Amino acid sequence: MGNVPTKEDRGSIGSYDDAARRGGPVVNSLTVREILNPSATYRKKKYYKDKEGLKEQVTKDLIVSHEENVDGGFLAPYGVYTHNQDYATAIVRGLISERRISPFYLPLQDLDDDWTDEQLIKELDDLALHAPISGEIEETTILDPNSKHYQKHLQAQLFEKALLQKRIALQTEAQARYDREKKLAYGNGFRKENIPSRDLLLRLYKDATECPICFLFYPNNFNYTRCCVQPICSECFVQIKRLDPHPPHDEEEERNQNSGELVVPKDLISEPAICPFCAMPNFGITYTPPQDIKTGINGIPPCDYKRSTTKPSINTPGKDIGNDDSAVVETNDTLEVPVKKGARRHSLPSEHQSVISTDFIRPDWERKLNSARMKLARRSAAATAIHASSLLMDETGNGQVRSSRADSSADLEQKMIEQALRLSLLEEEERKSKQNIKS
Amino acid sequence: MAALSKRIIRETERLVSDPVPGITAMPHEDNLRYFDVTIEGADQSPYEGGLFKLELFLPEDYPMVAPKVRFLTKIYHPNIDRLGRICLDTLKKNWTPAIQIRTLLLSIQSLLTSPNPDDPLANDVAECWKKDEAGAIQTAKEWTAKYAKKE
C-alpha cells in the first residue's frame, strides 16, 4: 500500500505524541473554528488523500493509547461496540481534547460499594485499554472471478484484512507500552507521566455510575442529553446516528402505490437522530468537564494529580450542585454550559453552541443521502428504459403499430439517447460531488 | 459471534428473575441472543385467554438497532401479517437504544389491546376491521381459541 499517510497528513492532534515524548507541554492546535467547521479541517489539512488513506487514519484513531489521555480517559473508545465505528474520529478526538464531550473512559463491568480503595484499584489495574478485537473479518460474499469488478473487490477484501491485522498489532503494542509503564510506576515507583496517580483513579471511579444505555460503570462526568438532561457515555453517544436514507413514512409510500408511482429519488429522506430517552428530534449532548481535574492533553500529567482536601464538585447538570461556591469556576471559555448554581440545567436548543449533535460527528450524512438518491435515480432510469423499450418491442411484435416500423425504431432510438444522456449527466454530477469531497 | 454485552446479560437476568406479568422470555441455551417469548392476550380484548408464542432475536449491534420479533402463533390482527411480522413503530423508526426488551414486549402486548387498522400490515384484516369491527373481533376471538389455546 503506497498511500500510507505520513505524520504530516495526520490531524494536528497527532502532535500530542511527539510533545509527550519530548516532555514538553501538549498543545492541541485544532481550533474551535476548525471543530465547528469540520469540512474545512479536512480541506485545509488534506486529512486524507483517498478512501484507503482515510480508513488507515481511522484505524489509527481507534487505537486506545495511554499516552493520549484527557482527565483520566482516552481519545478512542474501549470497544464496547464492534459496529458503527464510522463517526469522524478526527472530530471526536478534537472535541475530547477541547473537553467538549466526555473522554472515553475504561468501563467497569461491576462496581460494589463495599469495595475498599485497594479492591477498586485492583479492578482498574486489571482492565485492558481495549476490549479483545476479533481477528475474523465479517463474512464477505464469495467473489465471482468472472465479474468485471473481481479485481477491485478482491483488492478491497485484502485491504480490509490487512487493516484489521494492523489494528490488532497497533493495539497490542499500545497495551504493551501501557503495561510496561504501569509496572515501572506502580511496581518500582518511577515517575511515568501518563500513568494516572492513585488519587486520580480513586477520584474518578469511587463514585462511578452506570450508563443507562450500555449498563457499564464510568466516572461520573457523563455527557448529558441537551433535551432531557439524561446521562450518556461517549461510547454510546458516538454510536447514535441517523437511519440510512429511506423513503418517507408509510402513508406516503401508500399514496405512491395508489397512484402507481415508484418512490422518486428526491423523496428519499434522512432525518436527524432522535434522543434515545425522550425521542426529541435533533439529538445532541452537552458536557461540563470536572473542575478539579485537568490532566493529560492541555493539562497536567495524570501522574501528578493530587486530590484536593476540599470535596470535589461533581458537575451533574441533572442534580443539585449544592452550596459549594467553587462549583462555578470562573472561566473564559464561552462554550461553558450554563449551569446555574443550585439549579437544574434546562433543556437547550439544538443550535446552542455547547451542544454537540450526532450530525456534528458524522458530517457525511448529506453525501450519503445524495449518493443514495443518485443510486436510486440510476436504477429507476434504467428501469424506465427497459420498460419503454419493452413496450415498443411489444407493439411491434403484436403488429398493432399505428406508425410504421421505421418510426417506432426511431422513437426507441430517441428514447435510448435521452436515457443515456440522463445517466451520463447523473454520473457527471456524482463525479463532481465526489471530487468536492476529496479536495 | 461477539461476546454478549453486559447489557444483554443484565436484561436477560432481569427478564428471567423478575418477569413482566403476562410475558415470558427465555434465551436459547445454544444461542443467548435468541429468545422464546410468550405473551398472554389481555383481558377484555379479543385475544383474552390466548397464549401467543413469539421469537425474538438480538442482532449484533443491539441495542443500537431494534430486536427482530415475530409472532409464531397465528393471530388475526390488522398490524400483524400472515408471517407473524409486526407493524410497530417502536420496532422501526422509533426504536432507540434506551428501550429494553422488556419495554418492547410491553408495547407489543398493548398493540394486542389496541389494534390500529389505519396503519395496517395485513391489509385484508384491516379492511374487515374497518368495515365490520364486530365481525373482525369475532374472527380474532375464534382464531385465538383455535390457534392460541393455553396448554
Side-chain angles (χ1 to χ4, degrees):
Chain A
M1 271 146 278
N3 290 321
V4 182
T6 55
K7 198 86 190 169
E8 284 75 34
D9 289 333
R10 206 172 165 170
S12 52
I13 309 163
S15 61
Y16 176 70
D17 271 11
D18 307 323
R21 238 172 266 134
R22 287 194 308 269
V26 177
V27 182
N28 170 24
S29 60
L30 194 68
T31 62
V32 174
R33 190 184 55 80
E34 284 171 318
I35 289 175
L36 290 173
N37 189 357
S39 53
T41 315
Y42 284 145
R43 275 198 292 275
K44 198 178 129 204
K45 302 270 174 192
K46 289 232 182 307
Y47 187 70
Y48 58 93
K49 287 175 185 156
D50 52 53
K51 233 175 172 179
E52 292 197 346
L54 172 68
K55 282 188 173 176
E56 287 207 42
Q57 188 52 58
V58 166
T59 299
K60 286 182 192 158
D61 284 350
L62 289 174
I63 302 298
V64 186
S65 319
H66 78 287
E67 295 94 346
E68 296 178 330
N69 60 81
V70 171
D71 301 344
F74 304 100
L75 301 188
Y78 170 75
V80 172
Y81 301 101
T82 51
H83 289 67
N84 298 331
Q85 303 293 23
D86 53 352
Y87 65 89
T89 49
I91 295 175
V92 168
R93 289 165 65 90
L95 290 171
I96 292 175
S97 307
E98 302 263 330
R99 291 166 173 79
R100 293 190 58 199
I101 72 172
S102 176
F104 294 109
Y105 285 105
L106 299 185
L108 277 174
Q109 296 285 323
D110 278 299
L111 182 73
D112 194 327
D113 287 339
D114 296 336
W115 282 347
T116 61
D117 288 357
E118 272 57 43
Q119 277 170 309
L120 180 59
I121 294 280
K122 170 83 173 59
E123 291 286 330
L124 291 168
D125 196 34
D126 288 345
L127 289 178
L129 288 172
H130 195 285
I133 304 170
S134 161
E136 283 165 43
I137 218 133
E138 274 173 52
E139 274 201 27
T140 37
T141 42
I142 292 158
L143 300 180
D144 172 13
N146 297 321
S147 151
K148 63 175 175 173
H149 298 303
Y150 178 65
Q151 279 302 325
K152 204 174 128 193
H153 287 161
L154 189 67
Q155 245 175 7
Q157 272 194 5
L158 290 174
F159 177 74
E160 290 296 330
K161 270 188 196 156
L163 206 57
L164 183 63
Q165 291 313 316
K166 187 170 180 180
R167 183 168 174 211
I168 294 173
L170 286 174
Q171 189 60 62
T172 311
E173 280 170 32
Q175 182 67 42
R177 289 197 308 273
Y178 178 55
D179 289 343
R180 204 165 44 234
E181 292 210 343
K182 237 175 20 171
K183 203 173 160 217
L184 287 171
Y186 296 150
N188 306 27
F190 283 96
R191 181 174 187 275
K192 287 287 159 200
E193 265 199 0
N194 285 308
I195 298 298
S197 66
R198 201 184 128 96
D199 268 11
L200 181 58
L201 290 176
L202 288 175
R203 156 68 181 85
L204 287 169
Y205 284 92
K206 198 72 185 157
D207 57 354
T209 310
E210 199 180 56
C211 166
I213 305 250
C214 60
F215 293 5
L216 295 164
F217 289 90
Y218 295 94
N220 214 348
N221 41 305
F222 280 93
N223 308 299
Y224 283 85
T225 60
R226 69 163 183 90
C227 37
C228 54
V229 207
Q230 291 296 306
I232 181 170
C233 73
S234 286
E235 192 127 355
C236 288
F237 173 64
V238 300
Q239 284 283 315
I240 293 171
K241 57 175 178 179
R242 290 170 175 250
L243 293 176
D244 288 332
H246 58 94
H249 188 52
D250 306 346
E251 298 140 38
E252 294 195 34
E253 253 174 308
E254 217 175 302
R255 197 196 58 210
N256 285 333
Q257 266 171 18
N258 291 345
S259 59
E261 280 171 35
L262 290 162
V263 180
V264 189
K266 70 171 172 45
D267 280 355
L268 277 188
I269 53 161
S270 165
E271 290 154 321
I274 57 171
C275 169
F277 303 102
C278 70
M280 178 80 89
N282 295 314
F283 178 54
I285 51 124
T286 64
Y287 174 64
T288 310
Q291 301 296 338
D292 59 324
I293 306 174
K294 199 163 187 185
T295 64
I297 297 174
N298 297 329
I300 61 162
C303 72
D304 290 341
Y305 176 86
K306 292 214 167 50
R307 204 198 308 233
S308 55
T309 43
T310 53
K311 240 192 142 201
S313 61
I314 302 148
N315 285 285
T316 47
K319 286 177 190 164
D320 279 356
I321 283 174
N323 51 8
D324 184 357
D325 278 358
S326 67
V328 184
V329 170
E330 223 177 272
T331 172
N332 50 10
D333 188 354
T334 51
L335 295 170
E336 193 70 15
V337 184
V339 186
K340 273 187 201 133
K341 196 176 58 158
R344 187 194 157 95
R345 195 205 80 198
H346 295 291
S347 58
L348 292 171
S350 57
E351 59 277 9
H352 191 277
Q353 53 184 355
S354 70
V355 171
I356 307 295
S357 69
T358 52
D359 284 349
F360 192 83
I361 61 166
R362 277 190 174 81
D364 61 342
W365 66 269
E366 207 164 357
R367 185 182 58 78
K368 278 187 175 160
L369 178 60
N370 284 336
S371 81
R373 282 178 176 168
M374 217 91 80
K375 209 170 163 186
L376 186 62
R378 268 201 304 273
R379 230 189 305 151
S380 74
T384 318
I386 292 165
H387 184 67
S389 60
S390 75
L391 266 184
L392 284 166
M393 293 301 193
D394 202 33
E395 279 179 2
T396 48
N398 285 337
Q400 293 168 339
V401 215
R402 279 188 300 270
S403 56
S404 74
R405 205 184 181 90
D407 275 353
S408 66
S409 62
D411 274 359
L412 176 62
E413 208 177 300
Q414 182 59 33
K415 279 210 163 105
M416 285 169 92
I417 290 170
E418 281 169 18
Q419 212 45 57
L421 278 171
R422 266 179 72 187
L423 283 172
S424 85
L425 279 174
L426 277 171
E427 252 151 40
E428 176 63 13
E429 247 179 82
E430 187 178 35
R431 196 187 58 78
K432 272 188 192 156
S433 72
K434 268 188 187 157
Q435 213 166 34
N436 278 342
I437 291 158
K438 270 190 192 162
S439 60
Chain B
M1 183 64 71
L4 278 195
S5 66
K6 158 103 183 295
R7 165 151 171 177
I8 295 180
I9 295 169
R10 280 272 311 278
E11 279 200 68
T12 307
E13 282 169 1
R14 231 187 114 205
L15 279 167
V16 175
S17 70
D18 174 25
V20 189
I23 296 176
T24 67
M26 281 296 279
H28 277 209
E29 258 173 45
D30 54 344
N31 183 354
L32 296 169
R33 289 174 178 270
Y34 188 91
F35 290 73
D36 288 323
V37 175
T38 65
I39 296 181
E40 281 175 30
D43 292 351
Q44 330 276 297
S45 84
Y47 311 99
E48 181 175 356
L51 186 71
F52 298 87
K53 286 190 182 138
L54 298 89
E55 60 177 4
L56 181 148
F57 179 73
L58 303 175
E60 279 281 284
D61 32 1
Y62 175 82
M64 292 306 151
V65 301
K68 306 247 178 292
V69 199
R70 188 170 79 93
F71 272 81
L72 296 173
T73 307
K74 246 171 103 91
I75 180 166
Y76 192 78
H77 190 290
N79 310 107
I80 300 161
D81 73 1
R82 268 178 307 163
L83 299 172
R85 293 178 303 191
I86 307 164
C87 177
L88 184 65
D89 52 4
T90 314
L91 281 169
K92 303 254 162 58
K93 70 178 178 69
N94 285 357
W95 171 260
T96 84
I99 302 169
Q100 298 182 19
I101 303 173
R102 132 187 323 263
T103 24
L104 177 67
L105 292 177
L106 275 168
S107 328
I108 295 174
Q109 193 184 37
S110 74
L111 184 69
L112 291 189
T113 335
S114 41
N116 178 10
D118 293 324
D119 186 17
L121 192 61
N123 276 314
D124 47 335
V125 179
E127 279 305 305
C128 294
W129 216 279
K130 278 200 251 187
K131 273 190 208 141
D132 172 18
E133 195 177 336
I137 288 175
Q138 191 50 41
T139 313
K141 278 183 183 163
E142 283 163 20
W143 281 38
T144 304
K146 198 165 161 192
Y147 302 112
K149 237 193 292 180
K150 281 185 194 169
E151 279 142 29

